[in-house]
């Protein structure tokens, strides 16, 4: 079965602290993994996808097939990073399967 | 135009009403999607259209009826809804890759629906 697990509902850090949002997946094949972000009162938007291997807004994510993980990391959190983050998986079909999301709160 | 637009932003309807949600994109994307999102929950896929044909229906009740009149437009017709159908309805679109599988999805701002 295809599944995405985000174990933390809420992650709170202070500005300047490192951040790691966890994502584990279950999929028998080669999935495509994404991180989507939803800022307050804004639309859901793509942050990262694993095949592009780029850094966006200081965030990076590496696909670890051995651990079936795609954790999102940023070395120094900023207040404007406060948002809801969803990890998502795309398999053989056009379906995008979302995790339950992690709310990141960055305090000043 | 690089955005997905949705109208209306808000909709309040009674259980006997018939209404429609509209989604539009001019990015040349050939896959379009409807999602339902309840508060503090992830989006749940409802329907997928690929090249204007319905390709995925996630066992959605028949009171929700999708329509894709052309490659830029996607409608969701609503009839005899229940209060538990109140949610944010999101539309998304994506390119279809060379393998026939959809690419990154781009989301609209959503229509907040309240069923009384």
């Amino acid at each position: 079965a295809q599944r995405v697990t985000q174990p933390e509902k809420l992650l709170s850090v202070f500005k300047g602290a490192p951040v790691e949002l966890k994502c584990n997946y279950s999929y028998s094949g080669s999935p495509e993994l994404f991180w989507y972000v939803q800022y307050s009162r804004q639309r859901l938007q793509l942050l990262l996808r694993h095949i592009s291997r780029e850094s966006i807004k200081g965030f990076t994510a590496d696909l670890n097939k051995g651990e079936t993980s795609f954790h999102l990391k940023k070395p120094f959190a900023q207040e404007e990073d406060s948002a809801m983050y969803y990890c998502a998986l795309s398999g053989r079909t056009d379906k995008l399967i979302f995790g339950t999301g992690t709310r990141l709160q960055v305090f000043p | 135009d690089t955005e997905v637009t949705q109208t209306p932003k808000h909709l309040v309807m009674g259980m006997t009403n018939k209404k429609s949600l509209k989604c539009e994109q001019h990015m040349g994307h050939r896959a379009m999607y409807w999602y339902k999102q309840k508060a503090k929950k992830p989006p749940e896929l409802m329907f997928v259209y690929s090249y204007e044909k319905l390709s995925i229906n996630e066992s959605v009740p028949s009171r929700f009826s999708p329509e894709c009149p052309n490659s830029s437009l996607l409608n969701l017709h609503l009839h005899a809804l229940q209060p538990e159908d109140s949610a944010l309805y999101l539309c998304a679109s994506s390119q279809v890759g060379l393998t026939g599988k959809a690419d990154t999805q781009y989301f609209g701002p959503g229509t907040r629906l309240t069923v009384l």
Side-chain angles (χ1 to χ4, degrees):
Chain A
Q2 301 177 34
R3 189 169 61 245
V4 177
T5 303
Q6 293 180 252
E8 303 135 331
K9 275 191 175 180
L10 174 65
L11 185 62
S12 299
V13 300
F14 285 102
K15 177 182 170 182
V19 167
E20 183 178 50
L21 286 80
K22 292 184 167 40
C23 172
N24 288 90
Y25 66 91
S26 173
Y27 183 75
S28 56
S30 294
E32 287 191 52
L33 274 298
F34 304 82
W35 276 100
Y36 279 85
V37 60
Q38 197 166 27
Y39 299 102
S40 179
R41 302 182 199 282
Q42 293 188 29
R43 69 182 67 198
L44 194 61
Q45 56 188 281
L46 177 71
L47 181 63
L48 286 176
R49 56 186 301 190
H50 87 271
I51 61 171
S52 57
R53 299 186 66 82
E54 53 189 350
S55 173
I56 305 291
K57 299 185 180 184
F59 284 97
T60 59
D62 289 317
L63 180 61
N64 185 323
K65 290 187 177 181
E67 295 182 0
T68 59
S69 68
F70 188 56
H71 302 326
L72 184 68
K73 299 176 185 179
K74 184 169 182 176
F76 308 104
Q78 303 299 313
E79 288 178 69
E80 55 266 30
D81 296 328
S82 296
M84 192 73 174
Y85 290 80
Y86 291 102
C87 183
L89 175 155
S90 174
R92 295 178 202 88
T93 68
D94 296 335
K95 284 181 67 168
L96 193 61
I97 296 165
F98 286 91
T100 49
T102 298
R103 179 164 299 282
L104 175 63
Q105 287 183 330
V106 182
F107 295 110
Chain B
D1 190 345
T2 58
E3 281 196 343
V4 176
T5 59
Q6 290 186 244
T7 54
K9 284 188 178 180
H10 301 275
L11 179 62
V12 179
M13 59 187 291
M15 289 191 283
T16 58
N17 292 157
K18 281 187 182 180
K19 296 285 185 184
S20 296
L21 310 185
K22 182 179 170 183
C23 172
E24 196 163 359
Q25 58 87 16
H26 296 286
M27 295 181 278
H29 292 171
R30 302 306 296 274
M32 295 186 78
Y33 311 77
W34 280 116
Y35 288 87
K36 175 181 177 179
Q37 187 177 26
K38 293 283 229 180
K40 300 186 180 181
K41 298 286 187 184
E44 297 173 31
L45 183 66
M46 300 174 72
F47 303 103
V48 180
Y49 273 83
S50 183
Y51 292 98
E52 296 88 70
K53 286 187 170 37
L54 184 65
S55 61
I56 296 177
N57 177 341
E58 289 289 285
S59 303
V60 179
S62 59
R63 56 186 185 269
F64 294 92
S65 174
E67 179 197 19
C68 190
N70 61 56
S71 60
S72 300
L73 278 176
L74 185 67
N75 298 320
L76 186 63
H77 302 299
L78 315 172
H79 173 53
L81 294 194
Q82 304 296 311
E84 59 265 28
D85 296 322
S86 298
L88 182 68
Y89 288 83
L90 299 172
C91 174
S93 71
S94 67
Q95 291 179 336
V96 179
L98 294 173
T99 59
K101 205 171 91 60
D103 204 349
T104 301
Q105 293 183 29
Y106 295 86
F107 286 81
T111 293
R112 187 156 304 279
L113 174 68
T114 303
V115 182
L116 301 177

